[in-house]
Amino acid sequence: EPEVTQTPSHQVTQMGQEVILRCVPISNHLYFYWYRQILGQKVEFLVSFYNNEISEKSEIFDDQFSVERPDGSNFTLKIRSTKLEDSAMYFCASRGDRGLTEAFFGQGTRLTVV
Amino acid sequence: GENVEQHPSTLSVQEGDSAVIKCTYSDSASNYFPWYKQELGKRPQLIIDIRSNVGEKKDQRIAVTLNKTAKHFSLHITETQPEDSAVYFCAATSGGSYIPTFGRGTSLIVHP
């Protein structure tokens, strides 16, 4: 069964550094999402991406964040100048079509900012 | 935007009992309601979903009900087993945005 894969599984970074979280969505999917989950809290929407552009973003997704689909298979989330409060599990998800179908989640990247 | 409230935050039951988790949503345009199960350290995985043209859906021991008028939907697990222990998230998706908005999650603990 196809899966969304994310790398790395765990990333530790110094405050102020830039990190890039990588995702490989399911190959024929068209809609891509990033969510984050602070420990013990709900899964929060960050951004959706379709047709090579951001289709929607939340208030959390400020200028510190950016997304890119550099090569047609990878989907990356870049966090510039990380802050302690960016520590969370980041999930990538993808969905196949415009119908109301299931979003498939990756296994997540745990980001720890120290 | 959509706001999803989920209760309870923690639910502890004995093996064999039933468990019910309830969610409400705010956007009357939402028309797709998936439920995800997240085991410790793993990704959220869809366990059941319901669309707005259906009031109830059942899959073996799990069922979901939807009341569009009241804007609430519930997950029912019967004959619970220890392997049902996990965090369960409800979500609501508006046909306009196609973005699932998640509830806060319910930590279900099934005691053997």
Side-chain angles (χ1 to χ4, degrees):
Chain A
E1 186 177 334
E3 285 188 337
V4 176
T5 56
Q6 289 184 244
T7 54
S9 56
H10 191 189
Q11 173 96 42
V12 181
T13 190
Q14 295 273 348
M15 190 169 55
Q17 295 297 304
E18 174 182 288
V19 294
I20 298 177
L21 311 184
R22 302 180 191 280
C23 170
V24 179
I26 294 172
S27 63
N28 60 346
H29 281 189
L30 303 174
Y31 297 84
F32 314 112
Y33 309 88
W34 282 101
Y35 286 83
R36 80 172 183 190
Q37 185 179 32
I38 295 171
L39 187 64
Q41 297 188 27
K42 70 192 294 185
V43 177
E44 298 176 293
F45 168 72
L46 293 178
V47 65
S48 63
F49 194 86
Y50 170 71
N51 200 27
N52 287 318
E53 62 183 15
I54 291 174
S55 49
E56 197 160 338
K57 59 183 180 179
S58 72
E59 291 175 353
I60 303 167
F61 194 89
D62 59 21
D63 292 343
Q64 180 195 10
F65 294 89
S66 62
V67 290
E68 198 174 39
R69 190 158 159 78
D71 56 14
S73 61
N74 291 283
F75 179 51
T76 61
L77 174 70
K78 183 189 290 186
I79 309 174
R80 286 180 282 274
S81 189
T82 49
K83 299 177 286 214
L84 294 176
E85 53 264 38
D86 294 327
S87 296
M89 181 73 90
Y90 288 80
F91 289 103
C92 171
S94 70
R95 191 169 58 78
D97 59 30
R98 284 188 70 80
L100 300 176
T101 53
E102 173 186 358
F104 290 82
F105 282 80
Q107 79 278 23
T109 293
R110 178 163 297 285
L111 176 65
T112 303
V113 183
V114 297
Chain B
E2 176 64 275
N3 182 46
V4 177
E5 298 289 337
Q6 183 172 349
H7 300 280
S9 57
T10 305
L11 180 58
S12 185
V13 300
Q14 287 297 126
E15 183 176 1
D17 288 350
S18 294
V20 180
I21 302 169
K22 299 183 178 183
C23 289
T24 61
Y25 61 99
S26 61
D27 186 354
S28 56
S30 288
N31 52 10
Y32 174 65
F33 306 91
W35 285 87
Y36 286 84
K37 176 182 180 182
Q38 186 180 27
E39 296 177 16
L40 190 63
K42 296 189 177 180
R43 73 190 75 193
Q45 290 197 296
L46 183 79
I47 55 170
I48 195 167
D49 56 13
I50 190 166
R51 288 169 169 74
S52 60
N53 58 347
V54 174
E56 183 174 354
K57 183 175 177 180
K58 191 172 181 180
D59 182 4
Q60 297 181 28
R61 294 187 298 108
I62 59 172
V64 58
T65 58
L66 170 65
N67 183 329
K68 282 216 74 178
T69 304
K71 296 207 280 284
H72 66 69
F73 56 115
S74 301
L75 178 72
H76 304 252
I77 306 174
T78 58
E79 300 171 33
T80 53
Q81 300 166 3
E83 51 265 38
D84 294 330
S85 297
V87 178
Y88 291 81
F89 291 95
C90 64
T93 305
S94 168
S97 73
Y98 301 100
I99 294 167
T101 300
F102 287 84
R104 287 195 168 274
T106 296
S107 178
L108 174 64
I109 303 164
V110 181
H111 299 281

